[in-house]
Amino acid sequence: MSALTDRLMSRPVWLRLAGRARRTGRDWLDSEGPRWTFVVKTLIAAFLALWIAFCLGFDSPRSAMMTVFIVALPSSGMALEKGVYRLLGTLVGCVAALGFVGMFPQQAMLLFISLAIWAGLCTAGSALMRNARSYGFVLAGYTACMIALPALSRPLDVFDLAVSRATEISLGILCSAFVNDVLFPRHQSEELVQKLRGLYLSFATLCSESMQHLLPEAELERRHLDFATDVAALESQRAASVFEAGDIRIRSRQLHAFSLAAMAALTTFHTLHQLMERLRRAGGSTIPQLMQPLFNEFNTAMLIGDGLARTAAEAEHTRLRFNALFRSMPGLIEATRRRHAPALDEAQMLDLETALELLQRLGAEFRSLVSIYASLPANLARIEADAAALPPAYSQTTPPGIVLAAGLRNGLALLILASAWYALNWPSAAGAVMIATIFCGLASSSPEPHRIIHSTTLGFTLATPFAFFCAFFMLNRVEGFDMLVLSMLPFLAAGAYLSTWPLYAGVGVGFNLMFAQMVAPENLMRFNAISFINDSMAQIIGLLIAGLMFALILPEHRQGSRRHIREALWHEASLACITVSPHLRHLFENRIRDLLNQLGMIRIFDEATRAIVNEAMVLLELGHAVISLRRATAAHADTPPEVRQGIEALARYFRQPQARTRQAAIAAAGAAMDRCQVVAATNLLADLHLIRTCLLDTTFDPDTRPKENDNAA
Amino acid sequence: MPREFDFLGALVPGLLPVFLLSAVVHIGLDWACGHYGVYRYVWHRSLFRICMLICVFGLLNALLIK
């Protein structure tokens, strides 16, 4: 036996066991550690809020506790962001409730109608935004109902109700913010850096694979969807990081510039890739082979060693290589042109010129992307220099049909239920009205409202027997706050732990909310089994009714509805032909990517989704070509009128996508090209050629495409 | 600033406007700390930030509340 084995064998047993225990412990910490940290910090914040609420003698201490469960999110930034918007929404809702009750005291129908309009407007605002702000909107809507509905029979109490609600919510938010940010900080900005690196890496990989013909077919659409999702995630993480202590908020501009540069470069890359693919599909063209040496140059410049830049420091190297490439590129292009021009006919020459133009654009855009990436960790003094070029922020907007439907659904639900409550004479029904309104609002910014409502219903139902047991078999025997904590702790810990699993998050949050709501810890506990059963039934019925509302009122108009997204895509393309804005290119790019992100939300990647992504990408190419044409024609007053007519024909086609308008657009583009060749306006030729090839491409034909079945979503 | 004052018929504690004022001052300080890179030299940024808020609030209280 070797000496080493001898030594190992001679190690005492307890030492070996300790080593094994340490390894097991580390494994457990890596996998379960973050979950239990979350549980511990949520419970500390919840009981802290409850304790302060008891000390200050609040009317309903449970609201403070429930607020903590609602804003409990893994990272500090996200918890702070949600807390701030919850606070703002509550304040706005309180003021609105005071206004409504002041206008219609004890006028049930008028109050219901005004509340329904208010809640509908707030929900529409929330469906429009789809970020943390949308939560504030929902809250403004339902807080008004929560205060105004109980005030119907006793209008003089409305001010006290509003003040106590606002105080309880603020207390919950302060406790949650303190615990999440100070005691257990987990900075969102660190995840943001990872996301940023991932975004660059996925784009560079896509370029590299395409240039080496390694990209599998049918993979492109999926990558575009993933990319759109990543850009949206980057934006939401940035928005959350702003609330953390640190310097993300002054880097917002840089981050916007980064995602815009990445989107622009991706579009140019896609256009070039599609041009090459179309030429290859048509067969017989030598252009792809002629371009290959240039592609190889480009690909080599992207690589560091045999990989791509993984960090900003490595991106600095890539930037230097791209600067070198940028200097040698005109020479390479000129050489390619000179060598191959004699052997090509006029049509092939046009293809070559277009491809070269696109490659040049891609080179410039990739260079600016890499420069922004490399300058991200740099000192802030360098940023001020290029702050003049203010890029528009990435903004999310849902198609209007979905927004209106969400508002209408919530308003109608509230009106119907509140009238039913008024006629029914079941005191607990107010709880059902409230819950239905809350969930009609909350679920309307999700592509799967049924899933949210289903899992929350499950959580509510599960929590009811446990809450009954805790309230009527444990709390009635104990005395003091510490015993209260001990009796509630196991149930709430289980709920919080459940909410750390993505699949059961809704169940866990629903469980804790219902548990705190039904146990209702108060300074002077009230034990009333009849009202317990009534209230818990009302809560669950409210959720079921919310689910029913989603099934009955405009069920097809939900987030990620493919029909609406497709209409919005064509509308955006037609806007690109007429809107006047200095940032039109970025705005258009943002809108299309945002719509793609919404399409990605439904997480169904079938033929119909692929077809829409494909359509979106062709519209993106067309839109960019039109915008570049419009910029060129605005700069030169002596542009031939045929170019302007071509743009108009294209705009008509975007407004009415039919075979007739399409033929007209193709003819107009052809006429404009002929005219440009006569007057030697070569700068316009590449864009016109792109438009014409896109329109002639038979794979892009919205008329012949089979009607997608939206029910599948 | 009195301990309590009458705001449109509702009694409001004098601490509330002072707290709101200190929150506004604090947002400005927080921005400046981020902008001039103060947070790079701080071990626990969040703790530093909340301590700043408490200091500002205490200072304003000492100066403003009678």
Side-chain angles (χ1 to χ4, degrees), chain A residues 379-402:
Chain A
N379 212 336
L380 291 168
R382 266 180 67 185
I383 302 159
E384 295 303 316
D386 41 301
L390 191 75
Y394 179 84
S395 73
Q396 302 189 317
T397 317
T398 313
I402 299 172

Side-chain angles (χ1 to χ4, degrees), chain A residues 281-465:
Chain A
R281 262 201 308 265
S285 176
T286 51
I287 308 295
Q289 280 104 48
L290 302 185
M291 293 294 288
Q292 196 54 46
L294 290 172
F295 288 156
N296 290 343
E297 283 287 325
F298 196 98
N299 191 32
T300 337
M302 276 196 294
L303 295 177
I304 296 175
D306 50 358
L308 296 156
R310 284 181 304 270
T311 61
E314 290 182 358
E316 179 61 22
H317 293 282
T318 316
R319 188 178 75 86
L320 294 177
R321 301 186 67 160
F322 261 87
N323 279 347
L325 181 74
F326 196 68
R327 279 192 295 276
S328 62
M329 189 72 109
L332 285 170
I333 285 178
E334 196 47 47
T336 313
R337 199 177 278 152
R338 214 167 355 152
R339 190 166 341 123
H340 301 296
L344 298 174
D345 63 22
E346 198 175 316
Q348 283 174 320
M349 200 57 209
L350 207 50
D351 285 332
L352 180 67
E353 286 295 338
T354 311
L356 290 175
E357 167 73 25
L358 283 175
L359 188 67
Q360 259 174 316
R361 279 187 209 168
L362 180 62
E365 280 162 358
F366 200 86
R367 184 163 153 254
S368 80
L369 173 70
V370 173
S371 320
I372 296 170
Y373 188 20
S375 75
L376 271 175
N379 212 336
L380 291 168
R382 266 180 67 185
I383 302 159
E384 295 303 316
D386 41 301
L390 191 75
Y394 179 84
S395 73
Q396 302 189 317
T397 317
T398 313
I402 299 172
V403 171
L404 288 179
L408 190 71
R409 188 184 300 124
N410 202 349
L412 273 181
L414 177 62
L415 197 61
I416 296 170
L417 289 176
S419 317
W421 164 60
Y422 197 61
L424 207 57
N425 203 12
W426 179 34
S428 299
V433 179
M434 226 77 82
I435 287 286
T437 312
I438 292 173
F439 279 89
C440 273
L442 280 183
S444 67
S445 49
S446 150
E448 295 163 316
H450 292 285
R451 215 170 63 90
I452 291 186
I453 290 174
H454 180 247
S455 58
T456 315
T457 313
L458 198 61
F460 272 35
T461 318
L462 268 180
T464 309

Side-chain angles (χ1 to χ4, degrees), chain A residues 61-134:
Chain A
R62 61 183 173 187
S63 300
M65 193 181 205
M66 285 161 71
T67 293
V68 173
F69 292 130
I70 291 172
V71 300
L73 287 165
S75 80
S76 309
M78 279 152 81
L80 288 174
E81 186 189 31
K82 197 166 181 187
V84 167
Y85 287 121
R86 184 171 168 88
L87 184 62
L88 291 178
T90 305
L91 293 179
V92 172
C94 286
V95 173
L98 290 180
F100 289 135
V101 176
M103 277 193 290
F104 312 112
Q106 295 186 307
Q107 289 289 322
M109 258 351 259
L110 287 178
L111 187 69
F112 292 162
I113 293 172
S114 54
L115 278 179
I117 294 173
W118 171 254
L121 285 178
C122 288
T123 306
S126 125
L128 187 69
M129 301 238 177
R130 286 178 293 117
N131 51 19
R133 271 174 221 174
S134 68

